[in-house]
PDB file of all heavy atoms in Angstrom:
ATOM      1  N   ALA A  18      21.285  76.141 -14.938  1.00 98.00           N
ATOM      2  CA  ALA A  18      22.666  76.528 -15.186  1.00 98.00           C
ATOM      3  C   ALA A  18      22.745  77.820 -16.013  1.00 98.00           C
ATOM      4  O   ALA A  18      23.514  78.697 -15.705  1.00 98.00           O
ATOM      5  CB  ALA A  18      23.451  75.401 -15.880  1.00 98.00           C
ATOM      6  N   LEU A  20      20.606  80.189 -16.122  1.00 97.00           N
ATOM      7  CA  LEU A  20      20.180  81.288 -15.256  1.00 97.00           C
ATOM      8  C   LEU A  20      21.348  81.756 -14.415  1.00 97.00           C
ATOM      9  O   LEU A  20      21.525  82.973 -14.295  1.00 97.00           O
ATOM     10  CB  LEU A  20      19.024  80.919 -14.411  1.00 97.00           C
ATOM     11  CG  LEU A  20      18.522  81.944 -13.436  1.00 97.00           C
ATOM     12  CD1 LEU A  20      18.024  83.293 -14.179  1.00 97.00           C
ATOM     13  CD2 LEU A  20      17.388  81.385 -12.568  1.00 97.00           C
ATOM     14  N   HIS A  32      31.652  95.757 -16.859  1.00 98.00           N
ATOM     15  CA  HIS A  32      32.983  95.465 -17.503  1.00 98.00           C
ATOM     16  C   HIS A  32      32.878  95.762 -18.988  1.00 98.00           C
ATOM     17  O   HIS A  32      31.821  95.530 -19.569  1.00 98.00           O
ATOM     18  CB  HIS A  32      33.357  94.007 -17.241  1.00 98.00           C
ATOM     19  CG  HIS A  32      33.724  93.749 -15.810  1.00 98.00           C
ATOM     20  ND1 HIS A  32      34.983  93.858 -15.293  1.00 98.00           N
ATOM     21  CD2 HIS A  32      32.940  93.389 -14.740  1.00 98.00           C
ATOM     22  CE1 HIS A  32      34.985  93.574 -13.965  1.00 98.00           C
ATOM     23  NE2 HIS A  32      33.752  93.281 -13.651  1.00 98.00           N
ATOM     24  N   PHE A  50      21.631  77.800 -23.607  1.00 97.00           N
ATOM     25  CA  PHE A  50      22.009  79.036 -24.353  1.00 97.00           C
ATOM     26  C   PHE A  50      20.820  79.962 -24.279  1.00 97.00           C
ATOM     27  O   PHE A  50      21.083  81.254 -24.247  1.00 97.00           O
ATOM     28  CB  PHE A  50      22.346  78.672 -25.799  1.00 97.00           C
ATOM     29  CG  PHE A  50      23.730  78.100 -25.930  1.00 97.00           C
ATOM     30  CD1 PHE A  50      23.968  76.908 -26.582  1.00 97.00           C
ATOM     31  CD2 PHE A  50      24.856  78.771 -25.390  1.00 97.00           C
ATOM     32  CE1 PHE A  50      25.219  76.403 -26.705  1.00 97.00           C
ATOM     33  CE2 PHE A  50      26.135  78.243 -25.489  1.00 97.00           C
ATOM     34  CZ  PHE A  50      26.292  77.088 -26.173  1.00 97.00           C
ATOM     35  N   ALA A  53      20.726  81.525 -20.742  1.00 97.00           N
ATOM     36  CA  ALA A  53      21.891  82.387 -20.445  1.00 97.00           C
ATOM     37  C   ALA A  53      22.021  83.619 -21.269  1.00 97.00           C
ATOM     38  O   ALA A  53      22.264  84.723 -20.833  1.00 97.00           O
ATOM     39  CB  ALA A  53      23.150  81.538 -20.593  1.00 97.00           C
ATOM     40  N   SER A  64      19.989  95.414 -25.154  1.00 91.00           N
ATOM     41  CA  SER A  64      19.815  95.332 -26.623  1.00 91.00           C
ATOM     42  C   SER A  64      20.796  94.397 -27.220  1.00 91.00           C
ATOM     43  O   SER A  64      21.891  94.201 -26.756  1.00 91.00           O
ATOM     44  CB  SER A  64      20.013  96.749 -27.133  1.00 91.00           C
ATOM     45  OG  SER A  64      21.390  97.123 -27.173  1.00 91.00           O
ATOM     46  N   TRP A  65      20.336  93.824 -28.379  1.00 91.00           N
ATOM     47  CA  TRP A  65      21.261  92.841 -29.051  1.00 91.00           C
ATOM     48  C   TRP A  65      22.582  93.494 -29.486  1.00 91.00           C
ATOM     49  O   TRP A  65      23.574  92.792 -29.330  1.00 91.00           O
ATOM     50  CB  TRP A  65      20.496  92.205 -30.242  1.00 91.00           C
ATOM     51  CG  TRP A  65      19.558  91.166 -29.762  1.00 91.00           C
ATOM     52  CD1 TRP A  65      18.211  91.205 -29.830  1.00 91.00           C
ATOM     53  CD2 TRP A  65      19.895  90.007 -29.089  1.00 91.00           C
ATOM     54  NE1 TRP A  65      17.685  90.079 -29.283  1.00 91.00           N
ATOM     55  CE2 TRP A  65      18.698  89.321 -28.784  1.00 91.00           C
ATOM     56  CE3 TRP A  65      21.139  89.325 -28.680  1.00 91.00           C
ATOM     57  CZ2 TRP A  65      18.641  88.086 -28.119  1.00 91.00           C
ATOM     58  CZ3 TRP A  65      21.043  88.130 -27.959  1.00 91.00           C
ATOM     59  CH2 TRP A  65      19.823  87.478 -27.710  1.00 91.00           C
ATOM     60  N   LEU A  72      29.733  90.543 -25.044  1.00 98.00           N
ATOM     61  CA  LEU A  72      29.991  89.128 -24.776  1.00 98.00           C
ATOM     62  C   LEU A  72      30.976  88.514 -25.823  1.00 98.00           C
ATOM     63  O   LEU A  72      30.849  88.754 -26.958  1.00 98.00           O
ATOM     64  CB  LEU A  72      28.722  88.325 -24.779  1.00 98.00           C
ATOM     65  CG  LEU A  72      27.682  88.712 -23.729  1.00 98.00           C
ATOM     66  CD1 LEU A  72      26.453  87.744 -23.738  1.00 98.00           C
ATOM     67  CD2 LEU A  72      28.273  88.803 -22.314  1.00 98.00           C
ATOM     68  N   SER A  87      21.662  80.123 -33.584  1.00 96.00           N
ATOM     69  CA  SER A  87      20.283  79.784 -33.860  1.00 96.00           C
ATOM     70  C   SER A  87      19.367  80.261 -32.768  1.00 96.00           C
ATOM     71  O   SER A  87      18.324  80.865 -33.046  1.00 96.00           O
ATOM     72  CB  SER A  87      20.163  78.268 -33.912  1.00 96.00           C
ATOM     73  OG  SER A  87      18.855  77.838 -34.040  1.00 96.00           O
TER      74      SER A  87
END
Side-chain angles (χ1 to χ4, degrees):
L20 178 60
H32 291 267
F50 284 128
S64 71
W65 284 113
L72 299 183
S87 175

